[in-house]
Amino acid sequence: MIAHEQLVRDYEAGIGVPASGTVPAADPGSCLAAALPVWALAAGSVAAVTAAANRIRDAHHLNPVLHRLDPVRITAAFSSERLLRVGGAPAKVFADLSGFFPTFDGWVRTHANYPHHRARLLASLGLPDDAPVDLAVAQMAMSRARDIEERAAAHGAIAVQVRSEQEWAESQQGAAAASGPLVAVDTRIDRGELGLPIGASPLQPLRGVRVLDLTRVIAGPVATRTLALLGAEVLRIDPPHLPEIPWQYHDTCQGKRSTLLDLHRHLPLYNELLAAADVMITGYRPGVLENAGLTAARRPGLVHGRISAWGESGPWGRRRGFDSIVQAAAGISIVEGAPAVPGTLPAQALDHASGYLLAAGVIDALVARAHDGIGRDVRVALARTASWLLDAPGRAPRHPQAAPPSPMAAVTHGNVTTAAPVLAEYPDYAWPAPRYGADRPVWPLHTR
């Protein structure tokens, strides 16, 4: 079995749907070339979406679409930040305190792109907010990697010790991350309406589906962008006091609407939006929504897609994390580099693949709900995706250099250039990312 087909089989077996037909894939050449089978992860996650899209087409009594896996499109989508240009300027993906740093006994990987994460990281190192980078680097160099990791967790900052895959597998969190299905689907006791919204078409099988998007960075927004590409009405909600990083927003908000809303101060308005939604996608750490009283149970029959870094079990279940952090903790950085000089995957593949897998799970949950009306939680974790990648066959320690994404797979609107959709049958998204926060927090009337 071709490796990307194995991922589709693992996904479908995990959520309990019959195995779908094979989606052919051209020879990827050096696309996403790495020591680990990144191409299989990327192509498989996209194939899972196409299979789910055909299942919801079938539920609408529509003909299937013969999707194809285009290596150029998939490489561009998974490496989209490298194609992004705003006013001709490329994205600065990582801030000065985000990266690998040597320690007294090894390496740590940090993530401090957001100002509040940077402040927490400096505090965990015993430094003030305005401390120079050189001082922070020196402080890490004099500390043990495990101590930096633990102090960061205590301060709500993001830093992990760079581990080998064996060290990760033998840890409690590594074992927890590798357990369970690739995409977990749990039924709830609440029951909503049967059937699917009307108006679906072959290329827009999700037309009429309303999606509340409470995610940011990459994985969650990729999932909701995929749902929007397939016709869903997606309303992204951001907190007014924590603005999104501009390049991430431009790169992942195509085809959506964008509004600003303080969920704590305007809970009744949020509940109105939720009451009329079919899907909610969240990227909060496990337990955060429940503690804030923002649970999916407020909307009977809702499909709730949840994405996290580490999963919902194990000692790290409530810790923050990102793709680069999971790579470092799970042993991927050493596989792609060496203990002395850690490396990275050719793309933030855990984020992107997890996003497409979550989109597939949500679509399949909508199909299931059409028959029984039951609400479902669909859960994806970057660390679980990482464990699949580490266990997958087809490693290539001697591999060609990964090819850069092709500018031919980019689209430009005004002064913004982004990657084209990952699905080759779609030349572009319905519209580019709108002005941040430009929309009112209401559902457009035309979606029903």
Side-chain angles (χ1 to χ4, degrees):
M1 181 180 294
I2 301 173
H4 83 270
E5 295 175 3
Q6 183 60 56
L7 186 139
V8 179
R9 297 291 181 270
D10 291 347
Y11 162 76
E12 291 174 339
I15 65 169
V17 299
S20 60
T22 299
V23 179
D27 182 354
S30 58
C31 292
L32 300 173
L36 293 169
V38 177
W39 167 253
L41 175 66
S45 63
V46 175
V49 170
T50 64
N54 275 332
R55 283 189 283 272
I56 202 165
R57 290 184 182 106
D58 183 65
H60 279 293
H61 306 291
L62 296 169
N63 291 328
V65 171
L66 299 178
H67 289 282
R68 61 188 176 89
L69 302 178
D70 183 341
V72 174
R73 282 287 194 95
I74 292 174
T75 299
F78 272 67
S79 311
S80 56
E81 73 279 359
R82 296 174 63 184
L83 288 176
L84 181 71
R85 297 290 185 275
V86 179
K92 183 182 179 182
V93 177
F94 290 109
D96 52 8
L97 274 179
S98 295
F100 292 108
F101 295 98
T103 69
F104 178 77
D105 59 349
W107 291 85
V108 292
R109 177 96 198 210
T110 63
H111 197 289
N113 284 6
Y114 289 97
H116 58 293
H117 288 162
R118 178 190 176 90
R120 291 171 185 169
L121 178 62
L122 289 170
S124 74
L125 296 171
L127 300 173
D129 289 0
D130 59 353
V133 173
D134 290 349
L135 185 57
V137 172
Q139 186 69 22
M140 286 187 277
M142 295 185 293
S143 305
R144 297 184 185 277
R146 184 64 61 88
D147 293 340
I148 295 171
E149 178 180 273
E150 293 303 322
R151 288 199 301 266
H155 282 79
I158 305 164
V160 294
Q161 178 185 12
V162 176
R163 290 170 170 79
S164 69
E165 56 182 317
Q166 181 177 352
E167 289 173 320
W168 178 246
E170 293 173 350
S171 70
Q172 282 185 290
Q173 185 55 49
S179 64
L182 191 59
V183 178
V185 179
D186 301 320
T187 57
R188 299 195 306 273
I189 60 173
D190 54 273
R191 189 181 296 270
E193 299 175 1
L194 300 177
L196 292 164
I198 61 173
S201 66
L203 286 180
Q204 290 200 311
L206 297 184
R207 184 181 293 168
V209 172
R210 288 174 169 172
V211 179
L212 271 184
D213 179 5
L214 276 67
T215 68
R216 41 183 35 195
V217 194
I218 297 176
V222 163
T224 52
R225 185 184 63 186
T226 304
L227 300 177
L229 182 69
L230 293 169
E233 177 70 43
V234 179
L235 179 63
R236 171 169 166 154
I237 298 176
D238 280 279
H241 58 287
L242 289 175
E244 176 62 299
I245 296 171
W247 79 261
Q248 292 177 168
Y249 176 81
H250 285 294
D251 196 37
T252 59
C253 206
Q254 303 96 315
K256 310 178 196 178
R257 304 187 187 279
S258 167
T259 194
L260 303 179
L261 186 68
D262 187 322
L263 302 186
H264 299 283
R265 293 182 56 196
H266 300 102
L267 185 58
L269 180 53
Y270 161 77
N271 285 334
E272 287 181 20
L273 292 170
L274 186 61
D278 300 288
V279 176
M280 178 171 69
I281 309 291
T282 60
Y284 293 97
R285 288 169 295 128
V288 170
L289 280 177
E290 289 76 8
N291 293 339
L294 303 174
T295 62
R298 293 175 177 271
R299 166 65 165 98
L302 186 81
V303 173
H304 183 188
R306 306 165 68 110
I307 193 153
S308 64
W310 308 107
E312 302 199 2
S313 64
W316 287 18
R318 291 177 179 266
R319 289 193 184 185
R320 295 170 173 85
F322 295 95
D323 181 305
S324 59
I325 297 297
V326 175
Q327 286 189 43
I332 292 174
S333 296
I334 290 180
V335 173
E336 297 296 337
V341 185
T344 63
L345 298 175
Q348 296 190 66
L350 305 181
D351 260 332
H352 287 273
S354 297
Y356 293 120
L357 288 169
L358 181 59
V362 165
I363 295 168
D364 279 320
L366 286 170
V367 174
R369 191 189 69 176
H371 296 291
D372 60 23
I374 295 175
R376 287 169 170 81
D377 290 340
V378 182
R379 294 182 285 107
V380 173
L382 303 185
R384 181 64 184 87
T385 303
S387 71
W388 186 94
L389 180 62
L390 286 163
D391 290 341
R395 291 196 182 190
R398 295 185 178 183
H399 57 82
Q401 184 174 356
S406 171
M408 299 299 292
V411 293
T412 299
H413 295 277
N415 71 334
V416 178
T417 296
T418 60
V422 74
L423 301 183
E425 294 72 29
Y426 295 78
D428 200 353
Y429 296 96
W431 57 79
R435 183 169 56 85
Y436 185 69
D439 294 287
R440 295 175 55 222
V442 297
W443 291 113
L445 295 177
H446 70 265
T447 61
R448 280 291 191 272

